[in-house]
Amino acid sequence: MQYAPTDDSSGTSAVIANYNMAYSTDTRTIQPGDTYVAIVGETHDGHDFVADAVEKGAAAVVVERDRGPLPGGVEVIETESSVGYLVERASERVRRLGLPTVAITGSVGKTTTRMAVGAVLRQAFRVQTSEGNKNTPLGLSLTLLNADLAPDTVLVLEMGARLPGDIQDLCAAFPPTVGVVTNVRGVHLETLGSLDGVEREKSEVVRALAASGTAVFNGDDPRARRMADVTAGSVITYGTGADCDVRPEHVAATLPILGDHAIYTALVATAVGRAFGMEPGAITRGLEAMEPEAGRLRRLAGVAGSVLVDDTYNASPEAAVSALDVLAGLDGARKTAVLGDMLELGATEVEQHADVLRHALASADRVWAVDSPQGLMSRAATELADGERQRVETFGSSRQAAAAVRDGALGLGPGDAVLVKGSQGTRMERVSEALLGPGLDPADVLTRQTPQWKAIA
């Protein structure tokens, strides 16, 4: 499959306006003229806030049940599923415009891959990527409905999965023309059942391809490699193996990201660039223009002249070990690992946490273990040998660990390097905020800094 790059990558072509209002599910950020969509969540029911949305200027509301009389002029759209309504609208918009879509999934590295692919493709195309952690039907639909999309836009969409069928549903709504699988690892085993279940779910992104599409996957991962057998599209493999189509010697860029995984990030973005017919020079410029996203192995100035490696967006055992290897490779007299719980790991979750702690003890001079409400890190610490356990300091929450940092418990100074990592549910960005050097605004460099996240206990 080949696409002809545009002459003007600045995105100045006319935008197809097939809607007049932005869509919002949050009355705290709604603007006059928006369409408010009432979503029934785990803890809140958006229908309880319809009146607030109208008071703030919502011109229309999408609801699943009658909310009583509303002021004249407010359009009321009743539907069986508010999320389904958004997905249908977003899918219709994408199909009408006929937008090429890069769908990215995998157990580890999806967001970094999305960032890298977007950076490369922007050298030749107008690009719209998914944002933040919005890799669900709701998040992707809101992004695509609120974005300025034109007929020459290329979509780069991260697709997440917790349950069987999630990727299939996303691909049905937003059919991929390029499907990317970064790897298959033991993540979400609780909900996907087994490593075979994870493989099956991730493979849906290449099963969804038409014969004119292209499957791009990690040729060094046996489970990803065998997805060549289940796709109708052509195949591009990337990796370090001699039989991979895109190998390290094909990357000429100086990469601005940390970690051994950086080469895989560059390789997958190069492979996607090739799928779109891009020249090597343009791909190199895109790779060198990459900027690490908040919470993704981002090197920041820390307090008292220290170095902070903020990797707090999310965590899995494999990603934690990779981040610890980055810490071990940094220059510095003293290295500290501050590790939070890693969630949804299944029946062996405590053993997996203990293995990560052992790796941390071999990689760092000091190890802090921080619990989520599930208390996995402290439970794992009890599985360590006596000498190992004595080197691990445990904290009941990220708030407690952050308070200890502010009280000077780490005694940081020049030459110190600190890695902070954990799953979203452990909220390890609180620790990173306490470690930030003067002059850095957490809202600019850390993840989950919106008022909505800050308000969560």
Side-chain angles (χ1 to χ4, degrees):
M1 178 186 62
Q2 300 289 319
Y3 297 100
T6 58
D7 292 330
D8 178 9
S9 61
S10 63
T12 57
S13 58
V15 173
I16 300 298
N18 62 354
Y19 65 103
N20 296 316
M21 296 172 284
Y23 289 81
S24 175
T25 61
D26 192 337
T27 57
R28 293 169 294 187
T29 58
I30 201 164
Q31 300 296 313
D34 286 358
T35 294
Y36 174 69
V37 185
I39 303 294
V40 179
E42 293 182 2
T43 57
H44 296 93
D45 185 344
H47 294 81
D48 295 337
F49 304 97
V50 169
D52 292 341
V54 172
E55 184 178 347
K56 291 185 176 182
V61 296
V62 178
V63 294
E64 296 176 1
R65 59 178 182 270
D66 182 23
R67 294 301 299 167
L70 294 173
V74 176
E75 181 183 5
V76 178
I77 303 165
E78 294 189 14
T79 179
E80 290 185 3
S81 167
S82 296
V83 173
Y85 173 85
L86 288 174
V87 172
E88 184 177 353
R89 290 278 291 169
S91 178
E92 176 189 14
R93 188 176 189 217
V94 169
R95 292 172 189 271
R96 182 182 301 135
L97 289 167
L99 305 183
T101 299
V102 181
I104 299 169
T105 193
S107 299
V108 177
K110 294 186 294 296
T111 300
T112 304
T113 297
R114 180 242 297 165
M115 174 271 296
V117 169
V120 166
L121 293 182
R122 284 192 185 95
Q123 300 302 309
F125 301 93
R126 177 190 180 104
V127 174
Q128 176 64 52
T129 69
S130 51
E131 302 168 350
N133 61 349
K134 296 178 180 178
N135 59 11
T136 64
L138 173 60
L140 289 177
S141 296
L142 286 171
T143 296
L144 295 172
L145 286 170
N146 292 333
D148 289 334
L149 303 180
D152 59 350
T153 303
V154 176
L155 301 180
V156 179
L157 306 181
E158 178 184 335
M159 294 186 172
R162 291 188 66 253
L163 300 171
D166 282 353
I167 298 294
Q168 186 177 38
D169 290 345
L170 287 169
C171 288
F174 312 112
T177 42
V178 175
V180 177
V181 181
T182 61
N183 45 51
V184 178
R185 300 285 189 270
V187 178
H188 297 312
L189 292 176
E190 272 187 0
T191 52
L192 296 177
S194 66
L195 201 53
D196 288 341
V198 175
E199 178 183 343
R200 171 69 199 201
E201 184 63 25
K202 301 305 181 183
S203 74
E204 294 295 345
V205 81
V206 297
R207 293 175 188 269
L209 293 169
S212 58
T214 304
V216 174
F217 47 72
N218 186 341
D220 292 341
D221 185 316
R223 288 182 177 271
R225 178 179 276 275
R226 63 191 185 201
M227 293 180 190
D229 298 332
V230 299
T231 184
S234 57
V235 170
I236 300 176
T237 59
Y238 67 91
T240 60
D243 59 345
C244 291
D245 300 311
V246 180
R247 301 179 298 280
E249 58 263 34
H250 297 133
V251 176
T254 299
L255 303 178
I257 54 179
L258 294 171
D260 291 340
H261 74 283
I263 187 59
Y264 281 97
T265 301
L267 290 172
V268 64
T270 298
V272 174
R274 287 189 177 187
F276 279 83
M278 291 180 63
E279 295 296 325
I283 293 173
T284 295
R285 290 193 298 274
L287 292 176
E288 293 184 342
M290 292 189 298
E291 293 186 8
E293 296 197 5
R296 305 284 184 171
L297 270 180
R298 191 167 186 178
R299 181 172 178 150
L300 300 167
V303 294
S306 63
V307 171
L308 165 64
V309 179
D310 175 59
D311 200 24
T312 55
Y313 180 80
N314 215 337
S316 67
E318 292 85 355
V321 167
S322 178
L324 286 164
D325 290 343
V326 169
L327 176 66
L330 292 178
D331 294 332
R334 187 172 51 170
K335 296 163 187 176
T336 301
V338 184
L339 305 174
D341 279 4
M342 300 168 290
L343 307 180
E344 299 181 350
L345 298 182
T348 62
E349 58 188 2
V350 174
E351 291 87 345
Q352 292 183 71
H353 279 73
D355 287 342
V356 168
L357 286 176
R358 292 186 186 100
H359 196 86
L361 289 168
S363 306
D365 302 294
R366 297 179 297 186
V367 177
W368 282 14
V370 181
D371 282 342
S372 71
Q374 294 189 29
L376 296 171
M377 276 294 179
S378 60
R379 287 159 58 191
T382 66
E383 300 292 317
L384 302 177
D386 289 343
E388 294 174 327
R389 187 166 58 248
Q390 291 172 6
R391 292 180 54 205
V392 177
E393 187 166 357
T394 59
F395 294 84
S397 69
S398 57
R399 290 190 184 279
Q400 291 181 15
V405 168
R406 292 190 174 97
D407 288 342
L410 286 175
L412 297 174
D416 284 325
V418 184
L419 166 70
V420 184
K421 186 162 184 64
S423 281
Q424 175 178 296
T426 318
R427 302 296 303 280
M428 295 298 287
E429 74 277 2
R430 293 166 174 156
V431 181
S432 288
E433 184 173 354
L435 286 162
L436 275 182
L440 288 179
D441 186 341
D444 293 336
V445 297
L446 298 181
T447 190
R448 292 184 286 274
Q449 295 298 303
T450 63
Q452 293 81 9
W453 275 109
K454 288 284 199 176
I456 298 174

